[in-house]
Amino acid sequence: MRYKLSDIAQILAQPIARDANRVIQYLVTDSRNLVEPKQSIFFAIKGPRRSGSAYIKDLYQKGVRVFVLDEPFDTTDYSEAVFFTVTHTVAALQTIAAHHRAQFSIPIIGITGSNGKTIVKEWLYQLLQPDYRIVRSPRSYNSQIGVPLSIWQMAEDHQLGIFEVGISAQGEMQALANLVKPTMGVLTNIGDAHDEGFKNVQDKINEKTKLFAAATEVIAATDFIPEALQTNPIVVSWGSKPLLTPGHPMPTLQLLQQQKQAHHTVLLLQYHAEPFSLKVPFTDAISIQNVITCVLVMLQMQYDIAIVQTRVMELQAVEMRMQLRKAINQCYVLNDSYSNDKLSLSLALQFIQEQANQQPIIAILSDIVASGQPAQSLYQEVAQLLANNQVKQLYAVGPDISQYFLNELNQPMQFAVLCFANTEQLLQHLQETMFQQSYILLKGARKYGFEQVAHWLEQQVHQTIMEINLTAMVHNLKLYQSLLKPDTKLMAMVKAFGYGSGAGEVARRLQQQQVDYLTVAYADEGVTLRKAGIYLPIMVMSADAYSFDAMVNDQLEPELFSFPILHAFHDYIAKQGLTDYPIHIKLNTGMNRLGFDSKDVPDLCKWLSQQNRLRVKSVLSHLAASEDPTEDAFTQEQVNLFDDACQQIEIAIGYGCIKHIANTAAIRRHPEWQFDMVRLGIGLYGADATTNPPLPLQPVATLKTTVAQVRMVKAGETVSYNRSGKITRDSVIATIRIGYADGFSRRLGNGIGKLWIGGQLAPTVGKICMDMCMIDVTDIPNVKEGDQVEIFGKHIPIQSVANAADTNAYEIMTGISLRVKRVYIEE
């Protein structure tokens, strides 16, 4: 279903003076997700620090001609464009989507809750797809922006919609409920996520259940929802506990018994009066809950129990995040077979293009199944997406996508194409020489089994990995940005391999987020970033004469901290015949590490005022104890010395420069010391010893490994070197694949360190070995070889590991060995 621009104007109650017959097919809220400019509307949404209107010029140059905005904008240079000025841009987006939703009368399943929304949505898609053409939310598109973009995908051929809806505060649900208007509701659970946005649990319940105003029934678990909701007459429940509703002592679907096996769980259920068994291919409690919710949805949709039993056993785990992994021949592979539709393809291409920079991009795509769109127009749009994102080679797998590109072989194409009927044919054709220093996007419908291709492409190396969640990093960045004054710049610290996270990958995402400056410790780190396509200004903290060539060649800016290094760099710049080369002056105000002392400032000012080769870009100093309230008087003294020196320097040089002294802790504790710029370091990665004011940081790095072996050890025996682990009871000991060569400190041996396995903490036993360590899993049932173990991450904060090792989070992060594979995650 396509709209004309005149239709959009009518929906928004806006006048229109030109282009009334322009076809509108795409609603764009992110300038990177541009498919067909001439058929797009860009919604200039205001963010906490930047407005979408800043991207209008670039989009206009790319061919976009329709814009929606809610703030004044000079349209003088945009004579061919149509501008709709509305009260609120997001509300306008929702209004258009609501009109589109009203054109359809198909059944809609609306899912909300504190957790599990995306999993339930994707499993319902797997279970129901054989019988329906389904439109569903891409990935976790459940926000005020994501929901309308999901609704916009609805097309005439769709027979069922499945949409997830998430809220974080009072008053957010009504607008989304008006959009989705589900005929069946699913409430996964009510937990403590986003508690800060509601007065109490009852307010949260009232707000979330507004989604179900038009629903005839709501599927919910009585074991995981408050009592107040159990008495609602439209709630159809499952659970193991009696209901409170008079006359209805048990839920509609009863969980009578469950028996966990090594790789599956057998459930005994009863639907109304009919008992049946269900074999579930998962063993963890959360997956069991989500499966039962999906089962009740199917039963309420009149599915036979036999069909339910068969399809549940075919369920596959949902990987909710895009993962960028190292692959053969210095390649990276992005395995995003989590979903396969146009919007998720656009998101994946956007992510991989940001990471690839100038390196070639190869796409391996399967047919897009059940899109509800004619194949010709569907793959025409896919081809445009690939071209827009600089894909150089396409491997097309499946009859539909292959047929389209085979028909187009005589047409000019911006990328090379090879077509295959199925995955087996592709695997027979592949050779390692086809992939050299490239970024590979792997995106296929579930039935194509692209995990075989991923296995072929990925390097099979050390099973210990560190996941770097780039989405969480951006979340943390925005939290700190929200504490800044509007004009305060932000310098991000990416030294020491991005605090162990991978400097290039981290820097690319920070560049995309438009931070103002990057900082590295040494020039070679800056050179690496330049080679990775980073064009932001980069300050080098530890400049020396041997690095001058590299810095100038790659336009790196040195931090100069003494007269000898200042004079040496000045002489080098003079020999090169350069002027106004940017430098950063480091002052020592109490850290006593590097920097000009206060007594040196008059001579420094005199020298700076008498030369023109160097231009002072910024003046900085380092706070020694900004996180410690007991040292606030000392910190204030540092700031006073810094402020006085900066004033002297600016008077001497005759122009203003950027001044910065605040680090991660000071951003939170001392907003009055922001000056012109702040430096964000460990907080960017989710670790900050400061607790006031509270800040809901997310862990960026998760260090994981696996169990290599499990053995019984009798009381009186010992474990590890020097018989250091004394066993006092018959125990189950698991050997895991991480040791001090990976960065797991020897200080964490002998029970000091604790690791997360099977939903519990397990203490180390004996000394940490070079490549392995042992943990006591006696009280944790069913631990087996291959089980995943978390060293730090979601369940074990890195600060806890640092405390146990009597160090700080910096040392833990930067100490993770480079032999530990980094996997980059985008949620």
Side-chain angles (χ1 to χ4, degrees):
M1 181 178 294
R2 296 187 181 184
Y3 292 83
K4 292 181 179 180
L5 187 55
S6 57
D7 300 322
I8 301 298
Q10 185 175 0
I11 294 168
L12 296 178
Q14 291 281 320
I16 181 171
R18 56 177 300 121
D19 272 357
N21 292 320
R22 178 186 292 272
V23 173
I24 298 298
Q25 190 172 356
Y26 302 97
L27 307 183
V28 180
T29 61
D30 188 322
S31 62
R32 298 165 296 177
N33 294 339
L34 194 60
V35 179
E36 177 49 66
K38 293 180 180 180
Q39 297 181 7
S40 298
I41 299 180
F42 177 67
F43 293 79
I45 297 172
K46 286 185 288 191
R49 289 177 62 82
R50 290 182 177 86
S51 172
S53 59
Y55 302 96
I56 290 178
K57 180 179 180 180
D58 179 58
L59 288 168
Y60 184 80
Q61 291 174 347
K62 291 179 179 178
V64 178
R65 290 296 180 265
V66 186
F67 302 91
V68 178
L69 64 170
D70 56 12
E71 59 184 343
F73 184 81
D74 185 358
T75 63
T76 305
D77 297 328
Y78 305 90
S79 59
E80 297 179 4
V82 173
F83 289 89
F84 294 136
T85 303
V86 298
T87 303
H88 195 288
T89 309
V90 173
L93 173 68
Q94 294 173 347
T95 298
I96 295 171
H99 176 89
H100 185 63
R101 166 68 181 90
Q103 311 310 305
F104 300 88
S105 57
I106 60 175
I108 299 291
I109 300 174
I111 306 169
T112 193
S114 298
N115 307 102
K117 297 182 290 294
T118 302
I119 295 290
V120 169
K121 176 200 69 186
E122 289 303 315
W123 279 349
L124 284 175
Y125 176 77
Q126 291 182 27
L127 293 165
L128 303 176
Q129 187 213 355
D131 309 305
Y132 296 91
R133 285 187 174 273
I134 300 174
V135 56
R136 74 194 194 281
S137 310
R139 306 195 70 83
S140 296
Y141 262 46
N142 58 28
S143 67
Q144 299 290 321
I145 296 171
V147 172
L149 292 178
S150 301
I151 294 291
W152 185 251
Q153 296 181 105
M154 295 178 72
E156 291 93 334
D157 289 350
H158 287 132
Q159 300 166 319
L160 174 68
I162 309 176
F163 300 108
E164 60 173 294
V165 180
I167 58 170
S168 57
Q170 199 81 26
E172 290 184 347
M173 182 59 84
Q174 191 59 60
L176 301 181
N178 293 339
L179 281 176
V180 180
K181 293 184 177 178
T183 54
M184 174 186 281
V186 174
L187 181 64
T188 56
N189 55 52
I190 297 291
D192 56 8
H194 304 299
D195 272 354
E196 67 277 5
F198 304 90
K199 295 178 182 177
N200 50 50
V201 172
Q202 189 57 52
D203 276 353
K204 182 187 285 190
I205 296 169
N206 293 340
E207 185 67 23
K208 286 184 178 292
T209 52
K210 287 179 182 177
L211 176 64
F212 308 132
T216 56
E217 57 184 338
V218 176
I219 307 300
T222 56
D223 292 5
F224 305 102
I225 60 173
E227 296 175 354
L229 199 60
Q230 296 182 21
T231 58
N232 191 311
I234 69 168
V235 171
V236 180
S237 61
W238 72 264
S240 58
K241 301 174 183 177
L243 289 169
L244 300 177
T245 309
H248 297 279
M250 292 303 295
T252 303
L253 178 63
Q254 297 177 50
L255 174 60
L256 303 177
Q257 183 181 329
Q258 56 180 311
Q259 185 177 6
K260 290 186 179 181
Q261 306 294 332
H263 302 289
H264 67 272
T265 305
V266 178
L267 306 179
L268 180 59
L269 301 167
Q270 181 169 292
Y271 181 60
H272 294 301
E274 183 178 358
F276 64 98
S277 64
L278 187 72
K279 189 176 180 181
V280 177
F282 307 101
T283 58
D284 63 288
I286 293 175
S287 293
I288 299 300
Q289 296 166 21
N290 290 332
V291 167
I292 299 175
T293 296
C294 294
V295 167
L296 184 51
V297 170
M298 293 186 74
L299 293 173
Q300 288 298 108
M301 293 176 69
Q302 309 303 313
Y303 275 85
D304 289 340
I305 289 175
I307 294 177
V308 174
Q309 291 169 321
T310 300
R311 291 189 185 173
V312 165
M313 266 310 293
E314 296 172 351
L315 280 177
Q316 295 185 2
V318 175
E319 179 53 67
M320 296 192 296
R321 305 172 298 179
M322 291 186 279
Q323 298 190 359
L324 190 66
R325 295 177 178 267
K326 281 205 169 184
I328 56 175
N329 301 331
Q330 301 181 55
C331 293
Y332 282 89
V333 60
L334 176 59
N335 185 0
D336 187 34
S337 297
Y338 158 72
S339 57
N340 190 37
D341 51 66
K342 287 186 299 182
L343 188 51
S344 65
L345 173 61
S346 175
L347 295 172
L349 285 167
Q350 168 193 315
F351 176 62
I352 203 167
Q353 187 187 27
E354 289 169 358
Q355 295 301 318
N357 192 43
Q358 300 300 316
Q359 289 184 260
I361 298 174
I362 298 171
I364 304 177
L365 306 182
S366 80
D367 284 351
I368 296 178
V369 178
S371 71
Q373 185 176 349
Q376 178 69 22
S377 62
L378 171 65
Y379 294 111
Q380 187 175 24
E381 292 177 31
V382 168
Q384 187 65 55
L385 271 173
L386 298 174
N388 290 349
N389 287 277
Q390 282 77 58
V391 170
K392 303 301 182 188
Q393 172 78 56
L394 169 65
Y395 293 84
V397 182
D400 293 343
I401 190 171
S402 295
Q403 186 62 55
Y404 171 81
F405 282 105
L406 287 171
N407 291 341
E408 297 294 317
L409 286 179
N410 295 327
Q411 302 299 320
M413 197 78 68
Q414 296 183 36
F415 48 86
V417 183
L418 290 173
C419 298
F420 304 91
N422 51 50
T423 305
E424 290 72 22
Q425 193 181 96
L426 169 70
L427 288 167
Q428 291 171 6
H429 176 83
L430 292 181
Q431 299 178 28
E432 286 195 17
T433 53
M434 296 175 175
F435 304 95
Q436 301 285 339
Q437 297 182 321
S438 300
Y439 279 71
I440 306 161
L441 172 60
L442 189 61
K443 196 157 183 59
R446 187 165 60 98
K447 70 178 186 178
Y448 284 92
F450 270 15
E451 59 271 12
Q452 303 170 70
V453 185
H455 182 78
W456 188 89
L457 287 168
E458 289 181 20
Q459 293 178 339
Q460 300 304 307
V461 292
H462 193 23
Q463 292 189 42
T464 300
I465 65 169
M466 187 157 73
E467 290 184 350
I468 309 301
N469 190 321
L470 298 176
T471 305
M473 184 186 71
V474 171
H475 166 85
N476 296 338
L477 172 66
K478 291 182 177 178
L479 285 177
Y480 282 100
Q481 286 178 325
S482 71
L483 303 177
L484 303 182
K485 299 169 186 174
D487 296 330
T488 302
K489 299 179 185 297
L490 188 140
M491 173 181 277
M493 314 296 283
V494 293
K495 60 181 180 176
F497 192 53
Y499 287 77
S501 298
E505 292 78 8
V506 167
R508 275 191 285 267
R509 179 44 54 96
L510 294 171
Q511 180 169 273
Q512 182 261 319
Q513 291 296 317
Q514 299 182 334
V515 302
D516 300 286
Y517 251 95
L518 298 177
T519 297
V520 297
Y522 295 99
D524 56 354
E525 295 177 322
V527 172
T528 298
L529 293 183
R530 290 291 186 236
K531 289 179 178 177
I534 303 303
Y535 53 77
L536 287 174
I538 299 173
M539 184 179 80
V540 179
M541 298 179 69
S542 300
D544 59 62
Y546 296 103
S547 64
F548 290 169
D549 275 332
M551 283 193 291
V552 172
N553 289 341
D554 282 294
Q555 296 181 299
L556 307 176
E557 303 173 10
E559 174 191 297
L560 304 177
F561 46 81
S562 69
F563 284 114
I565 193 70
L566 177 64
H567 294 157
F569 190 69
H570 175 271
D571 292 345
Y572 173 84
I573 292 297
K575 289 179 182 177
Q576 305 302 311
L578 301 174
T579 58
D580 286 332
Y581 196 91
I583 63 169
H584 302 262
I585 297 296
K586 178 71 172 285
L587 303 176
N588 174 38
T589 58
M591 183 76 171
N592 290 320
R593 184 173 61 181
L594 292 174
F596 292 94
D597 292 329
S598 297
K599 62 181 177 59
D600 298 327
V601 171
D603 289 340
L604 174 64
C605 289
K606 181 179 179 180
W607 188 91
L608 289 172
S609 68
Q610 294 174 350
Q611 60 82 42
N612 65 356
R613 296 288 180 182
L614 308 177
R615 185 172 183 85
V616 179
K617 195 71 174 289
S618 85
V619 179
L620 68 146
S621 187
H622 200 109
L623 297 175
S626 60
E627 73 283 356
D628 189 350
T630 65
E631 296 290 351
D632 280 352
F634 179 81
T635 305
Q636 180 67 65
E637 183 180 343
Q638 280 194 272
V639 172
N640 292 342
L641 290 171
F642 175 70
D643 192 21
D644 180 66
C646 287
Q647 292 183 41
Q648 294 182 56
I649 291 171
E650 287 189 323
I651 291 172
I653 61 180
Y655 56 84
C657 59
I658 299 170
K659 299 172 284 294
H660 50 111
I661 192 172
N663 55 9
T664 295
I667 295 172
R668 292 177 70 173
R669 296 194 63 242
H670 301 291
E672 69 275 17
W673 298 338
Q674 291 180 11
F675 288 93
D676 304 304
M677 184 162 69
V678 297
R679 299 190 301 274
L680 180 58
I682 195 70
L684 186 64
Y685 306 94
D688 187 351
T690 306
T691 58
N692 187 27
L695 208 60
L697 297 174
Q698 295 179 1
V700 170
T702 298
L703 184 60
K704 298 178 178 180
T705 190
T706 58
V707 173
Q709 189 177 30
V710 180
R711 62 162 29 89
M712 297 294 300
V713 181
K714 292 185 177 181
E717 295 186 328
T718 60
V719 174
S720 196
Y721 287 113
N722 304 118
R723 304 190 67 197
S724 51
K726 304 289 193 297
I727 303 301
T728 59
R729 60 171 180 166
D730 290 352
S731 301
V732 182
I733 304 298
T735 300
I736 64 171
R737 295 180 172 95
I738 192 170
Y740 60 78
D742 301 297
F744 190 55
S745 173
R746 296 184 77 233
R747 290 171 286 184
L748 295 169
N750 294 305
I752 294 174
K754 293 176 175 59
L755 287 68
W756 186 265
I757 179 172
Q760 299 183 46
L761 290 172
T764 56
V765 181
K767 291 183 177 180
I768 306 299
C769 307
M770 180 181 287
D771 307 303
M772 299 278 179
C773 71
M774 283 65 79
I775 57 176
D776 187 343
V777 295
T778 307
D779 299 321
I780 304 174
N782 302 320
V783 173
K784 58 188 180 299
E785 294 179 10
D787 281 359
Q788 192 172 90
V789 184
E790 178 186 303
I791 291 81
F792 59 74
K794 178 181 179 181
H795 303 100
I796 304 178
I798 193 171
Q799 192 62 50
S800 298
V801 179
N803 293 341
D806 193 25
T807 183
N808 57 32
Y810 299 83
E811 181 179 345
I812 300 296
M813 285 281 290
T814 58
I816 303 304
S817 167
L818 291 182
R819 81 175 186 179
V820 174
K821 184 165 70 170
R822 271 66 172 175
V823 177
Y824 298 93
I825 303 297
E826 180 80 5
E827 294 184 340

